[in-house]
Amino acid sequence: MTKKLRFTLLALVATMTLTAAGNALAAYKPTFVVRTDSQQLTSGGGAGMTFRVTIPKDDDATAKVTMYVPQGYGGVLDKAPGTDLGPVSARVVAKALGGALLPLTGRVVAVDPNTTVTNPCSPGQHDAVWNLNLTAAGQQLVVPVYIDTIKAGPEVAFAKFKLQICLPSPDVPQAQGGATFGAKLIFAQFSVKGLFNNPTARGANVFRGLFTPYVAGGGTPNVAGTVETRSTNRLPAELTMTAAVNQRTGLVTIRGFVSEFAIGVGGQKVKLRFGKTPRGVKIFRTVTTDAKGNYSATLRLKKGLTRYLRADVFVPVRNDPNGCAGTSLAPGGCVTATLPSYTLENLKVVKITRKK
């Protein structure tokens, strides 16, 4: 073997090794959160549902997102074309604008599904199609969402509805089908009203998201790099409150519990409200739930007074340490799991009275 050939082969091997290492180390760790306006069980209706996606800025670009709404949820998907379903917002890295961070806002609008059967993202007839109509810098970006009720096949074991979204590559010129502005998605949130309703049975409801990135720097989806991320909505979520008055001393002992599916939620700041009328209560103290979700507080009530108590709490998005347990749907495995945010009030205003 000549020295020149040996050198060429060594250079080729080195290049292949570096390329493989680069692909192996390519980062892709999206986060998926789904929350509903109501954290209670229901037998019908159409509460709002919000879908939120976050992708680290330096991760590979996203080619496709498939979101699954679990069994137990219901919904009426067929809305008249042109129906405004709710708001949408997003942030992108605009590669064509020197990597500037670009905010986008707009509305979710129903589309006639008969007009999208030849779409390349998910060809065929769908139960519903929504357009995410986003605007930035005077330009409109339209991102279709294809929605189906799952009636058969392996997906029926874990999901009732499927939503599919495809995104153009930020690394392909716009004239060749690439993204406007060279937009690389790092955040998106959209809400729809009057479509989905909560389950009627208590439980932990796992929303699943499958995220497929592009091969770094190109326009080819990296199917083998698809990862799963989950969002678990534990229903019902409840905030309780009781109050007992010591008639001799006037000491009022307040106790309560913050829970999801009867599991206590620790570390949450509960705002306690106190006032002369049920509607006139104002915050007088904030207390934090213990590891089991319990909270307590005291106050003193003068003789002959009647007052009212109420509580509320905002529970933020949290990482779910056990959310990725079990078999994943994706070749890249489950990479993140969350519990959604919500706000709760105790269902009944508590009346307290100290006798004269």
Side-chain angles (χ1 to χ4, degrees):
M1 183 181 293
T2 66
K3 290 184 178 180
K4 183 176 181 181
L5 179 58
R6 184 182 298 112
F7 178 82
T8 302
L9 289 172
L10 288 173
L12 179 60
V13 170
T15 301
M16 292 174 64
T17 302
L18 289 171
T19 301
N23 288 338
L25 295 174
Y28 195 59
K29 197 174 183 180
T31 301
F32 176 53
V33 181
V34 182
R35 66 173 175 83
T36 50
D37 289 351
S38 170
Q39 298 302 306
Q40 305 306 309
L41 304 178
T42 181
S43 58
M49 185 176 286
T50 298
F51 300 84
R52 190 175 89 182
V53 170
T54 305
I55 304 165
K57 178 183 174 183
D58 295 326
D59 281 12
D60 292 337
T62 299
K64 184 172 183 177
V65 180
T66 302
M67 298 180 282
Y68 291 100
V69 177
Q71 288 287 353
Y73 286 79
V76 178
L77 303 179
D78 55 338
K79 295 294 183 179
T83 301
D84 187 317
L85 302 176
V88 56
S89 61
R91 288 193 299 275
V92 300
V93 175
K95 289 191 170 186
L97 300 178
L101 293 179
L102 196 63
L104 302 95
T105 59
R107 307 296 298 179
V108 185
V109 178
V111 177
D112 182 355
N114 294 315
T115 64
T116 66
V117 294
T118 60
N119 75 85
C121 177
S122 179
Q125 188 72 44
H126 296 281
D127 291 334
V129 179
W130 311 329
N131 275 351
L132 309 182
N133 293 327
L134 291 154
T135 302
Q139 296 248 18
Q140 187 174 55
L141 288 76
V142 179
V143 180
V145 185
Y146 306 99
I147 308 98
D148 294 287
T149 302
I150 300 173
K151 299 174 182 176
E155 294 169 321
V156 79
F158 60 86
K160 180 65 176 292
F161 303 104
K162 176 167 69 174
L163 293 73
Q164 299 179 82
I165 302 172
C166 290
L167 300 171
S169 172
D171 297 306
V172 172
Q174 184 177 347
Q176 298 175 20
T180 304
F181 305 123
K184 175 185 171 184
L185 182 71
I186 58 174
F187 171 83
Q189 177 172 295
F190 64 91
S191 301
V192 291
K193 299 281 188 182
L195 296 174
F196 299 103
N197 56 265
N198 284 352
T200 59
R202 303 167 67 89
N205 305 283
V206 182
F207 292 79
R208 299 170 185 262
L210 297 183
F211 289 72
T212 301
Y214 279 106
V215 174
T220 303
N222 178 10
V223 177
T226 300
V227 298
E228 180 181 2
T229 176
R230 301 174 186 170
S231 180
T232 300
N233 199 342
R234 304 189 297 199
L235 297 177
E238 298 175 299
L239 169 62
T240 65
M241 172 191 275
T242 62
V245 183
N246 184 315
Q247 294 295 332
R248 183 178 63 83
T249 65
L251 185 69
V252 180
T253 302
I254 304 164
R255 290 189 174 90
F257 182 56
V258 179
S259 66
E260 299 170 346
F261 184 31
I263 300 170
V265 184
Q268 304 307 311
K269 297 186 182 300
V270 180
K271 296 178 181 178
L272 302 179
R273 300 177 184 270
F274 177 79
K276 297 180 180 180
T277 66
R279 294 188 177 182
V281 292
K282 296 181 180 180
I283 296 173
F284 77 94
R285 191 171 303 167
T286 298
V287 294
T288 303
T289 58
D290 64 19
K292 294 184 178 180
N294 299 301
Y295 70 89
S296 63
T298 59
L299 60 84
R300 290 193 182 275
L301 191 64
K302 294 181 179 180
K303 289 183 177 180
L305 291 182
T306 294
R307 293 291 183 265
Y308 297 87
L309 292 166
R310 188 149 202 168
D312 58 80
V313 62
F314 171 73
V315 179
V317 173
R318 295 141 289 151
N319 291 328
D320 185 358
N322 301 312
C324 277
T327 303
S328 174
L329 302 175
C334 179
V335 294
T336 58
T338 61
L339 299 165
S341 63
Y342 53 85
T343 299
L344 294 174
E345 291 184 338
N346 63 304
L347 296 179
K348 293 181 64 176
V349 175
V350 176
K351 180 180 178 181
I352 53 175
T353 299
R354 187 181 179 192
K355 300 175 183 178
K356 293 183 179 180

